[in-house]
Amino acid sequence: MDRLRNRLAAGADRIRQLGGAAPARTGAALAMRVLLVGAAVVAAVVSSAALYGLFYRLYVPQLVHQAPVHLQYAANGTAAEVSFVAAAHYKFLSTSQAYTVALDLHVPASETNRALGVFMVELELRDRRGRAVHRSARAAMLPYRSVGVRALQTLVRAVPLALGLADESTWLHVPLLERAFDRHFTPITHAHVALSKPVQTYAASVTIRAQFSGLRYWMYYWRLPTALLFVAAAVAWQLVLAAVAWSVLESYARARAAPAAPRADGQHAGLLALGGQRGSGLESSGLDSPEPKTPSLPGSPLVRALSFLDRQSAPSDSEADEQSVPDGSSQPQSLRRRASGRRADDN
């Protein structure tokens, strides 16, 4: 009995220790949860920003591609070969994007160019094998200005012209293709430009410009709002998925730990059954001894079962006291049988 009481006292001390450490453990668990949530939010923001940057680089093509044109003046015409990429096998345009192609000419306002009048500009976009993918021909000419207007402009710009800060030239922008698409199996790599007349030029270039529409338009021209919206949506989805994954893992961990509970319940039931058997044996012996009052201990079912066993096994001390009483009426049934047997042997 002393051993049982020692175990009960140790269990009560353990319960008090656990009760005192509960607030500290709760605070530590809360701090750990806050730390995990903060780390998850930071990781979600960083990964979402990186994902948006990768998606922008892959989805939004370069806006402008420009290549210089070096015109070759010959007796049979003025032409030039334009290369857009260094390697012939390299693909630089997106097949799902529409492009506009134009020729820009920087020409002097000379009498020779004015005398040429209208001239034709021809363009062929070719693949790496030299086959024409797109072809176009457009007319162009210098903008017309009367003699009086030219004289007035020269008078106004007399000082900059004299100092060399300005020149008498103009830029001609000749649109050649609208909504041109590159082809997947025959990508454009270079172009052929030809002029029908020997136009005097300072410089020339072919410009390929993307015509953004839809999502690409918003991602390029409204970069910051689109990026914030995309990152916020990606962070929200990642947090939702992380919460779902955490719930699933927590349920799985609880399911793995659940089989240990029935064994503890079985031990509790066995202890209660043992206490009940001892109590029924005492009632059948006809002894009516008062139960010692034991203070109830909070805690697990095992501690309560041990306390119940201590209360049920206490009457065994009073039973030993009554076995020493000489009165046969108060002796147990086993002692009366032994006395009757001895009298039968004497007779």
Side-chain angles (χ1 to χ4, degrees), residues 69 99-105 119-125 134-140 173-180 191-195 205-208:
V69 177
Y99 293 91
T100 60
V101 184
L103 178 65
D104 296 316
L105 296 172
F119 58 93
M120 295 299 297
V121 178
E122 296 180 359
L123 173 70
E124 281 188 1
L125 297 178
H134 296 284
R135 183 182 290 109
S136 176
R138 300 289 174 88
H173 181 75
V174 184
L176 296 171
L177 289 172
E178 294 84 13
R179 297 191 61 81
H192 176 77
V193 178
L195 303 179
S205 62
V206 174
T207 303
I208 301 177

Side-chain angles (χ1 to χ4, degrees), residues 13 65 76 82 126 157 169 172 183 235 250 253 279-280 330 341:
D13 295 338
H65 299 273
N76 56 354
V82 182
R126 300 175 179 178
R157 297 188 302 170
S169 63
L172 287 179
R183 297 178 183 178
V235 168
E250 189 176 7
S280 60
S330 62

Side-chain angles (χ1 to χ4, degrees), residues 19-62:
R25 291 185 178 181
T26 303
L30 181 60
M32 183 60 67
R33 286 180 178 272
V34 171
L35 181 61
L36 290 176
V37 171
V41 171
V42 172
V45 171
V46 173
S47 61
S48 299
L51 181 62
Y52 179 78
L54 180 61
F55 176 69
Y56 183 91
R57 185 174 182 83
L58 295 177
Y59 185 69
V60 180
Q62 185 176 342

Side-chain angles (χ1 to χ4, degrees), residues 64-213:
V64 177
H65 299 273
Q66 196 170 34
V69 177
H70 304 285
L71 293 171
Q72 304 296 320
Y73 293 89
N76 56 354
T78 304
E81 293 292 332
V82 182
S83 179
F84 296 108
V85 292
H89 62 275
Y90 182 72
K91 184 175 180 298
F92 74 103
L93 296 180
S94 176
T95 55
S96 61
Q97 177 61 50
Y99 293 91
T100 60
V101 184
L103 178 65
D104 296 316
L105 296 172
H106 187 202
V107 298
S110 62
E111 296 296 333
T112 302
N113 286 338
R114 293 193 186 94
L116 292 177
V118 179
F119 58 93
M120 295 299 297
V121 178
E122 296 180 359
L123 173 70
E124 281 188 1
L125 297 178
R126 300 175 179 178
D127 61 2
R128 60 178 177 270
R129 295 183 180 179
R131 295 174 298 186
V133 179
H134 296 284
R135 183 182 290 109
S136 176
R138 300 289 174 88
M141 66 174 294
L142 268 70
Y144 173 75
R145 293 185 180 91
S146 63
V147 178
V149 173
R150 293 200 304 268
L152 184 59
Q153 290 180 344
T154 304
L155 180 61
V156 171
R157 297 188 302 170
V159 175
L161 289 173
L163 296 177
L165 301 177
D167 57 3
E168 294 181 294
S169 63
T170 185
W171 278 94
L172 287 179
H173 181 75
V174 184
L176 296 171
L177 289 172
E178 294 84 13
R179 297 191 61 81
F181 290 88
D182 196 10
R183 297 178 183 178
H184 183 73
F185 297 102
T186 56
I188 298 170
T189 58
H190 63 282
H192 176 77
V193 178
L195 303 179
S196 62
K197 296 179 180 181
V199 180
Q200 296 175 350
T201 61
Y202 289 130
S205 62
V206 174
T207 303
I208 301 177
R209 187 180 184 89
Q211 291 181 319
F212 291 144
S213 61

Side-chain angles (χ1 to χ4, degrees), residues 44 74 147 153 155 161 165 169 190 196 214 220 249 268 277 297 302 315 321 336-338:
V147 178
Q153 290 180 344
L155 180 61
L161 289 173
L165 301 177
S169 63
H190 63 282
S196 62
Y220 186 83
L249 292 177
H268 182 200
Q277 290 177 1
L297 297 175
L302 182 60
D321 294 336
R336 291 199 298 268
R337 288 178 179 177
R338 292 179 183 177

Side-chain angles (χ1 to χ4, degrees), residues 1 278 282 287 289 310-323:
M1 297 308 299
R278 292 190 178 185
L282 292 174
L287 299 178
S289 59
D310 186 17
R311 293 197 301 268
Q312 294 297 332
S313 60
S316 60
D317 297 335
S318 60
E319 180 182 357
D321 294 336
E322 290 193 4
Q323 286 180 359

